[in-house]
Amino acid sequence: MYTAHPDRYADMPYRRTGRSGLKLPALSLGLWHNFGPDRPAETQRAILRRAFDLGVTHFDLANNYGPPPGAAESALGDALRADLAPYRDELVISTKAGYLMWPGPYGEWGSRKYLLSSLDQSLARMGLEYVDVFYSHRPDPDTPLEETMGALHSAVQQGKALYVGVSNYSAEQTREAARILADLGTPLLIHQPRYSMLDRRPEDEGLLDALDELQVGSIVYSPLEQGLLTGRYLDGIPEDSRAASDSPFLNSDAVTEDLVGRLRALDEVAKSRGQTLAQLALAWVLRGGRVTSALVGASSPRQLEDSVGAIRALDFDAEELARIDAIVKG
């Protein structure tokens, strides 16, 4: 029988999400890649237990996480029943809908029919009565935003979600989504964009500015840029890496000689701070408090522990930030 560590809240910083009452851990666990039938169930449960013991109280999912789609939610459901059910009120569990989940015209995008049907399926897989946060995973170009946001509002009204969020929305779309939700009486809690030292679109395209203006929280995915911002690629492409498999999320063509040189230079910055490259990358997205939480994946408890080590040094001086910018921007 699992018993959570008594000091699980001693070290992890928790940040208020926008202007809400909800606080998230600086690091949250994403179940995007490493939770499904192709991984040992005991390893998955061990990662979730270790995360909670380290103060990582937020588990982030989507209906299509796996593979196959739905597998990550089922894996979390198994872990909740086996280990974490007594701690449900200490956990923030989020899921999303927007990408292809089942055949036919009602199995993806942003219609009311799809979003609310998907949420019911997600709750069944996880064995939950509600999720803490339900997201529209991507904007739908063919469905009125009023319908998509209305479905999120309905999820809250039905007691199936406590808060709502959006992911992969532009600054302009986020402003409009927030306006519609405010009119309905369900505030927009959070936005989940892709953001890292190597991918600065949320800065460059004004999304972070919009979130500040709206007082909406943010949780960023791929802060380690699909593993590039770890020590794995400092000597090229390892045979067992994501890039070597030409994953749809990272292929070998992306790992150029120039990029490897930049990664090595960033690793030197990390060493000067007493951090691993992954810890540097996580600390960078969390710098200054504009980002509420950073999502990390983990294939083992040890990998998760390395990521959580980032919280020991979240501050940067101006010289360090300038050095990082010079390396990344050239």
Side-chain angles (χ1 to χ4, degrees):
M1 174 67 78
Y2 165 71
T3 301
H5 197 288
D7 296 328
R8 57 191 176 277
Y9 296 114
D11 298 318
M12 177 64 67
Y14 297 87
R15 298 178 168 190
R16 188 169 299 280
T17 312
R19 63 184 299 271
S20 77
L22 183 69
K23 292 183 177 180
L24 292 180
L27 294 176
S28 298
L29 180 64
L31 279 68
W32 184 7
H33 288 304
N34 296 307
F35 289 80
D38 59 337
R39 308 276 178 156
E42 183 50 44
T43 300
Q44 297 173 51
R45 285 176 54 192
I47 292 168
L48 292 163
R49 292 193 300 263
R50 187 62 181 139
F52 189 52
D53 283 345
L54 291 169
V56 178
T57 53
H58 177 210
F59 300 149
D60 179 78
L61 301 101
N63 57 356
N64 63 330
Y65 288 177
E73 291 177 331
S74 295
L76 179 64
D78 292 342
L80 287 169
R81 285 184 286 273
D83 302 316
L84 295 167
Y87 305 100
R88 172 64 182 100
D89 291 336
E90 296 182 48
L91 295 171
V92 174
I93 296 172
S94 59
T95 197
K96 315 176 197 72
Y99 286 94
L100 181 64
M101 193 61 192
W102 60 84
Y106 320 120
E108 63 177 328
W109 293 108
S111 72
R112 179 180 181 86
K113 178 170 178 60
Y114 167 66
L115 290 174
L116 295 178
S117 297
S118 177
L119 178 56
D120 284 342
Q121 292 181 22
S122 292
L123 293 173
R125 281 189 290 268
M126 292 185 283
L128 295 174
E129 294 181 358
Y130 70 94
V131 290
D132 297 277
V133 188
F134 182 48
Y135 288 87
S136 168
H137 205 165
R138 60 173 172 172
D140 183 344
D142 297 319
T143 297
L145 195 55
E146 288 82 0
E147 179 175 341
T148 301
M149 294 304 107
L152 297 185
H153 171 67
S154 291
V156 173
Q157 295 297 103
Q158 293 168 6
K160 296 175 182 178
L162 301 185
Y163 303 92
V164 298
V166 297
S167 181
N168 300 308
Y169 278 54
S170 70
E172 181 180 354
Q173 290 165 332
T174 301
R175 285 192 175 93
E176 183 63 7
R179 183 194 65 76
I180 294 167
L181 285 167
D183 287 346
L184 292 170
T186 296
L188 177 62
L189 173 80
I190 195 166
H191 190 298
Q192 187 173 134
R194 180 169 180 154
Y195 183 46
S196 74
M197 287 194 291
L198 300 179
D199 185 349
R200 303 192 180 194
R201 284 174 292 177
E203 290 178 15
D204 298 338
E205 298 173 1
L207 177 62
L208 293 185
D209 291 337
L211 298 180
D212 288 344
E213 172 193 321
L214 296 166
Q215 295 183 283
V216 169
S218 59
I219 179 167
V220 300
Y221 72 92
S222 294
L224 302 181
E225 204 61 31
Q226 296 297 314
L228 286 176
L229 289 169
T230 68
R232 298 212 72 196
Y233 295 91
L234 297 177
D235 296 311
I237 302 175
E239 289 184 5
D240 61 345
S241 67
R242 191 167 292 163
S245 69
D246 279 337
S247 157
F249 306 107
L250 179 65
N251 61 60
S252 56
D253 291 341
V255 188
T256 63
E257 199 170 311
D258 175 69
L259 176 61
V260 171
R262 292 173 192 266
L263 295 177
R264 289 173 179 165
L266 289 170
D267 189 52
E268 290 302 315
V269 178
K271 288 176 180 175
S272 72
R273 290 169 49 86
Q275 292 181 308
T276 65
L277 178 55
Q279 290 168 350
L280 173 76
L282 293 169
W284 185 88
V285 297
L286 292 166
R287 75 199 186 287
R290 294 190 84 185
V291 167
T292 312
S293 184
L295 279 166
V296 295
S299 58
S300 68
R302 179 173 294 183
Q303 187 180 43
L304 178 68
E305 289 164 3
D306 180 74
S307 293
V308 171
I311 66 174
R312 293 192 289 268
L314 294 178
D315 295 326
F316 291 80
D317 61 36
E319 183 180 343
E320 288 172 326
L321 291 174
R323 189 177 168 194
I324 290 168
D325 284 350
I327 292 167
V328 171
K329 296 179 180 179

